[in-house]
Amino acid sequence: MFYQFTPQSRFLLGTAGYPSPDILHQAINASGAEIITVSLRREGSEGGAFRTLLQQLNKRILPNTAGCHTVKEAVTTAQMARELFDTPWIKLEVIGHADTLQPDPFALVEAARILCADGFQVFPYTTEDLIVGEKLLEAGCEVLMPWGAAIGSGQGLRNIEGLRAMRAWFKDVPLIIDAGIGAPGQAAQAMEMGFDGVLLNTAVAKARDPVRMAGAFAAAIHGGHEAFQAGLMEQRDMASASTPIFGLAQFS
């Protein structure tokens, strides 16, 4: 496997939409994230200043193909990102629906197959569909990134049962929730379900205090993972007294 998650790297953070480069810098440091996502379009529009900031952060860069709607767009963008950032990693997005920004599963699998054959290590932004997941793994992907909800919606985990099924089916595959997370509690919920990481951007970038919010998400993601590892209690239909009956005082 090309990447093993560690407790310090379960939070992946995006770099778009922050009030200033300084706040972005502070937020990334507060998050403890070891991996940050960068759009090639962002790099192209801001040039040298943004590249300097990335160098100062000394984080692992995960370029993405944000805004691509066709296989050709996504593959070309990925190839340009590899040259620019000197990394085989690519977060693959091939958008199929303009309103929901849902990935196009057919184009996604095709682009993933092309890129994996070309030596890329692909992080595909996908849905919780098990068949699409299987096809992406067959194409050469080693990690899957199902959405929680629509990008930037902040709705959290819209399809809990579908995500649980995905986690159970792909037991040995790293799964990262990508998109739709709007609050630390939602990120903790994903980690309590056994997901390996959470990738988000808007919930931190658009917060009243992005630096403080980044720290809150870091704590929630860590806490959720620790809870999963410790073993969460099972839900019950009936009450179950925590105090034993034996030893209670007898009155006559």
Side-chain angles (χ1 to χ4, degrees):
M1 188 171 294
F2 63 84
Y3 184 69
Q4 292 289 345
F5 287 94
T6 65
Q8 288 74 38
S9 63
R10 296 181 185 278
F11 185 6
L12 292 75
L13 187 61
T15 56
Y18 287 80
S20 71
D22 182 58
I23 290 178
L24 168 60
H25 195 159
Q26 292 182 56
I28 290 174
N29 287 335
S31 74
E34 296 176 1
I35 300 171
I36 56 176
T37 62
V38 176
S39 168
L40 187 64
R41 298 183 183 195
R42 173 79 184 279
E43 165 66 22
S45 65
E46 300 188 14
F50 186 59
R51 190 178 305 180
T52 298
L53 174 61
L54 295 179
Q55 292 172 345
Q56 292 172 347
L57 289 167
N58 193 32
K59 302 292 184 180
R60 184 73 186 259
I61 303 297
L62 175 60
N64 67 49
T65 61
C68 293
H69 291 260
T70 68
V71 173
K72 183 176 180 180
E73 272 188 304
V75 169
T76 300
T77 301
Q79 291 169 339
M80 294 170 64
R82 178 167 61 181
E83 294 300 317
L84 183 62
F85 296 107
D86 191 27
T87 177
W89 282 14
I90 192 72
K91 178 191 169 187
L92 180 61
E93 297 182 26
V94 187
I95 301 302
H97 193 274
D99 290 336
T100 64
L101 300 181
Q102 178 176 328
D104 178 336
F106 307 102
L108 180 67
V109 171
E110 184 180 350
R113 183 175 292 110
I114 293 170
L115 292 172
C116 288
D118 192 27
F120 282 89
Q121 294 164 341
V122 178
F123 292 62
Y125 164 61
T126 183
T127 66
E128 65 277 19
D129 189 288
L130 300 183
I131 297 174
V132 176
E134 291 279 13
K135 296 297 183 183
L136 288 167
L137 295 178
E138 290 173 8
C141 299
E142 297 182 46
V143 58
L144 299 174
M145 303 180 71
W147 64 349
I151 293 173
S153 69
Q155 295 178 358
L157 308 181
R158 289 291 304 276
N159 185 359
I160 296 291
E161 293 308 313
L163 290 170
R164 288 190 192 281
M166 191 175 199
R167 178 67 284 177
W169 187 254
F170 298 112
K171 292 180 180 179
D172 301 319
V173 178
L175 301 180
I176 304 169
I177 294 293
D178 177 16
I181 297 296
Q186 297 167 356
Q189 182 183 26
M191 299 306 296
E192 288 171 1
M193 290 167 59
F195 283 86
D196 296 282
V198 172
L199 193 161
L200 59 90
N201 187 147
T202 307
V204 171
K206 300 302 183 183
R208 185 171 60 251
D209 185 341
V211 178
R212 190 169 186 177
M213 185 63 77
F217 269 105
I221 290 168
H222 177 71
H225 176 69
E226 287 294 292
F228 175 75
Q229 292 294 318
L232 294 162
M233 67 173 289
E234 296 182 3
Q235 294 185 2
R236 303 171 62 95
D237 294 330
M238 302 290 291
S240 177
S242 57
T243 303
I245 296 177
F246 178 79
L248 291 178
Q250 299 293 321
F251 298 96
S252 59

